Coordinates of all heavy atoms in Angstrom, one line a residue:
R1 N 5.5 -7.4 9.6 CA 6.7 -6.9 10.4 C 7.8 -6.5 9.5 O 8.5 -5.5 9.7 CB 7.1 -7.9 11.4 CG 8.2 -7.3 12.4 CD 8.5 -8.3 13.5 NE 9.1 -9.5 13.0 CZ 9.5 -10.5 13.8 NH1 9.2 -10.4 15.1 NH2 10.1 -11.6 13.3
S2 N 8.1 -7.3 8.4 CA 9.3 -7.0 7.6 C 9.1 -5.7 6.9 O 10.0 -4.9 6.7 CB 9.5 -8.2 6.5 OG 8.3 -8.3 5.7
V3 N 7.8 -5.4 6.5 CA 7.6 -4.1 5.8 C 7.7 -3.0 6.8 O 8.4 -1.9 6.5 CB 6.1 -4.1 5.2 CG1 5.8 -2.7 4.6 CG2 6.0 -5.2 4.1
E4 N 7.2 -3.1 8.0 CA 7.3 -2.1 9.0 C 8.7 -1.8 9.3 O 9.1 -0.6 9.5 CB 6.5 -2.4 10.2 CG 5.0 -2.5 9.9 CD 4.2 -3.0 11.1 OE1 4.8 -3.5 12.1 OE2 2.9 -2.8 11.1
E5 N 9.5 -2.8 9.5 CA 10.9 -2.7 9.8 C 11.7 -2.0 8.7 O 12.5 -1.1 8.9 CB 11.6 -4.0 10.2 CG 11.0 -4.6 11.5 CD 11.6 -6.0 11.7 OE1 12.2 -6.6 10.8 OE2 11.4 -6.5 12.9
F6 N 11.4 -2.4 7.5 CA 12.0 -1.7 6.3 C 11.7 -0.3 6.2 O 12.5 0.6 6.0 CB 11.6 -2.5 5.1 CG 12.3 -2.0 3.8 CD1 13.7 -2.2 3.6 CD2 11.6 -1.3 2.8 CE1 14.3 -1.8 2.4 CE2 12.2 -0.9 1.7 CZ 13.6 -1.1 1.5
E7 N 10.4 0.1 6.4 CA 10.0 1.5 6.4 C 10.7 2.3 7.5 O 11.1 3.4 7.2 CB 8.5 1.5 6.5 CG 7.7 1.0 5.3 CD 6.2 0.9 5.5 OE1 5.8 0.9 6.7 OE2 5.5 0.9 4.6
E8 N 10.8 1.7 8.6 CA 11.5 2.4 9.7 C 12.9 2.7 9.4 O 13.5 3.8 9.7 CB 11.4 1.7 11.0 CG 10.0 1.7 11.7 CD 9.5 3.2 12.0 OE1 10.4 3.9 12.5 OE2 8.4 3.5 11.6
K9 N 13.6 1.8 8.8 CA 15.0 2.0 8.4 C 15.1 3.0 7.2 O 16.1 3.8 7.2 CB 15.6 0.6 8.0 CG 15.9 -0.3 9.2 CD 16.7 -1.5 8.8 CE 17.0 -2.4 10.0 NZ 17.7 -3.6 9.7
L10 N 14.2 3.0 6.3 CA 14.2 4.0 5.3 C 14.1 5.4 5.9 O 14.8 6.3 5.4 CB 13.0 3.8 4.3 CG 13.1 2.6 3.4 CD1 11.8 2.5 2.6 CD2 14.3 2.7 2.4
K11 N 13.3 5.5 6.9 CA 13.1 6.8 7.5 C 14.3 7.2 8.4 O 14.9 8.3 8.3 CB 11.8 6.9 8.3 CG 10.6 6.9 7.5 CD 9.3 7.0 8.3 CE 8.9 5.8 9.0 NZ 7.6 5.9 9.7
S12 N 14.8 6.2 9.2 CA 15.9 6.6 10.1 C 17.2 6.8 9.4 O 18.1 7.5 9.9 CB 16.0 5.4 11.2 OG 16.4 4.2 10.5
M13 N 17.4 6.1 8.3 CA 18.6 6.3 7.5 C 18.5 7.4 6.5 O 19.4 7.6 5.7 CB 19.0 5.0 6.8 CG 19.4 3.8 7.7 SD 19.8 2.3 6.8 CE 20.4 1.3 8.2
H14 N 17.4 8.1 6.4 CA 17.1 9.2 5.5 C 17.4 8.9 4.1 O 18.1 9.6 3.3 CB 18.0 10.4 6.0 CG 17.8 10.8 7.4 ND1 16.7 11.4 7.9 CD2 18.7 10.6 8.5 CE1 16.8 11.6 9.2 NE2 18.0 11.1 9.6
V15 N 16.8 7.7 3.7 CA 17.0 7.2 2.3 C 16.3 8.1 1.3 O 15.1 8.5 1.5 CB 16.6 5.8 2.2 CG1 16.6 5.3 0.7 CG2 17.4 4.9 3.0
D16 N 16.9 8.5 0.2 CA 16.3 9.4 -0.8 C 15.8 8.6 -2.0 O 15.0 9.1 -2.8 CB 17.3 10.4 -1.3 CG 17.8 11.3 -0.2 OD1 16.9 12.0 0.4 OD2 19.0 11.3 0.1
A17 N 16.3 7.4 -2.2 CA 15.9 6.6 -3.4 C 16.1 5.1 -3.1 O 17.1 4.7 -2.3 CB 16.6 7.0 -4.7
V18 N 15.3 4.2 -3.7 CA 15.5 2.8 -3.5 C 15.6 2.1 -4.9 O 14.8 2.4 -5.8 CB 14.3 2.2 -2.8 CG1 14.3 0.7 -2.8 CG2 14.3 2.6 -1.3
I19 N 16.6 1.3 -5.0 CA 16.8 0.4 -6.2 C 16.6 -1.0 -5.7 O 17.4 -1.5 -4.9 CB 18.1 0.6 -6.9 CG1 18.3 2.1 -7.3 CG2 18.3 -0.3 -8.1 CD1 19.8 2.4 -7.6
A20 N 15.7 -1.8 -6.3 CA 15.4 -3.1 -5.8 C 15.5 -4.1 -7.0 O 15.2 -3.8 -8.1 CB 14.0 -3.2 -5.2
G21 N 15.8 -5.4 -6.6 CA 15.9 -6.4 -7.6 C 16.5 -7.7 -7.1 O 17.0 -7.7 -6.0
N22 N 16.6 -8.7 -7.8 CA 16.2 -8.7 -9.3 C 15.0 -9.6 -9.5 O 14.9 -10.8 -9.0 CB 17.3 -9.3 -10.1 CG 18.6 -8.4 -10.0 OD1 18.5 -7.2 -10.1 ND2 19.8 -9.0 -9.9
G23 N 14.0 -9.1 -10.1 CA 12.8 -9.8 -10.4 C 13.0 -10.7 -11.6 O 13.0 -10.3 -12.7
G24 N 13.1 -12.0 -11.3 CA 13.3 -13.0 -12.4 C 12.4 -14.2 -12.3 O 12.6 -15.2 -13.1
C25 N 11.4 -14.2 -11.4 CA 10.5 -15.4 -11.4 C 9.2 -14.8 -10.8 O 9.1 -13.7 -10.3 CB 11.0 -16.5 -10.5 SG 10.9 -16.3 -8.7
G26 N 8.2 -15.7 -10.9 CA 6.8 -15.3 -10.5 C 6.6 -15.0 -9.0 O 5.7 -14.2 -8.6
L27 N 7.5 -15.5 -8.1 CA 7.3 -15.3 -6.7 C 8.3 -14.2 -6.2 O 8.0 -13.4 -5.3 CB 7.6 -16.6 -5.9 CG 6.5 -17.6 -6.1 CD1 6.8 -18.9 -5.2 CD2 5.1 -17.1 -5.8
C28 N 9.5 -14.2 -6.9 CA 10.5 -13.2 -6.4 C 10.2 -11.8 -6.9 O 10.5 -10.8 -6.2 CB 11.9 -13.6 -6.8 SG 12.2 -13.5 -8.6
T29 N 9.5 -11.6 -8.0 CA 9.2 -10.3 -8.5 C 8.3 -9.5 -7.6 O 8.6 -8.4 -7.3 CB 8.6 -10.4 -10.0 OG1 9.6 -11.1 -10.8 CG2 8.4 -9.0 -10.5
P30 N 7.2 -10.1 -7.1 CA 6.4 -9.3 -6.1 C 7.1 -9.1 -4.8 O 7.0 -8.0 -4.2 CB 5.2 -10.3 -5.9 CG 5.1 -11.1 -7.1 CD 6.5 -11.3 -7.5
K31 N 8.0 -10.0 -4.5 CA 8.8 -9.8 -3.2 C 9.7 -8.6 -3.3 O 9.8 -7.8 -2.4 CB 9.6 -11.1 -2.9 CG 10.5 -11.0 -1.7 CD 11.2 -12.3 -1.5 CE 12.2 -12.6 -2.5 NZ 13.0 -13.8 -2.3
E32 N 10.4 -8.5 -4.5 CA 11.4 -7.4 -4.6 C 10.6 -6.1 -4.9 O 11.0 -5.0 -4.5 CB 12.3 -7.7 -5.8 CG 13.2 -9.0 -5.6 CD 14.0 -9.0 -4.3 OE1 14.1 -8.0 -3.6 OE2 14.6 -10.1 -4.1
T33 N 9.5 -6.2 -5.6 CA 8.7 -5.0 -5.8 C 8.1 -4.4 -4.5 O 7.9 -3.2 -4.4 CB 7.5 -5.3 -6.8 OG1 8.0 -5.9 -8.0 CG2 6.8 -4.0 -7.2
G34 N 8.0 -5.3 -3.5 CA 7.5 -4.8 -2.2 C 8.3 -3.7 -1.6 O 7.8 -2.8 -1.0
S35 N 9.7 -3.8 -1.8 CA 10.6 -2.7 -1.3 C 10.3 -1.4 -2.0 O 10.3 -0.3 -1.4 CB 12.0 -3.1 -1.5 OG 12.3 -4.3 -0.7
C36 N 10.0 -1.4 -3.3 CA 9.7 -0.2 -4.0 C 8.3 0.4 -3.6 O 8.2 1.6 -3.4 CB 9.6 -0.5 -5.5 SG 11.2 -0.9 -6.2
I37 N 7.4 -0.5 -3.4 CA 6.0 -0.1 -2.9 C 6.2 0.6 -1.5 O 5.6 1.7 -1.3 CB 5.1 -1.2 -2.8 CG1 4.8 -1.8 -4.2 CG2 3.7 -0.8 -2.2 CD1 4.1 -3.2 -4.2

């Protein structure tokens, strides 16, 4: 659900670029990379 909601907001807000972070541990890095994916 969190991915689907984020994708819907990217589209509805007409986002042109995403900057995500900060990846500084083994669990948070995949979590923050998820927004970029």
Side-chain angles (χ1 to χ4, degrees):
R1 187 171 68 180
S2 62
V3 174
E4 293 176 345
E5 290 176 350
F6 184 70
E7 290 174 338
E8 284 303 314
K9 287 186 176 180
L10 289 176
K11 290 186 283 188
S12 64
M13 294 182 173
H14 306 289
V15 172
D16 297 300
V18 168
I19 302 167
N22 296 316
C25 79
L27 294 182
C28 67
T29 303
K31 178 179 68 177
E32 304 301 355
T33 307
S35 296
C36 293
I37 295 168

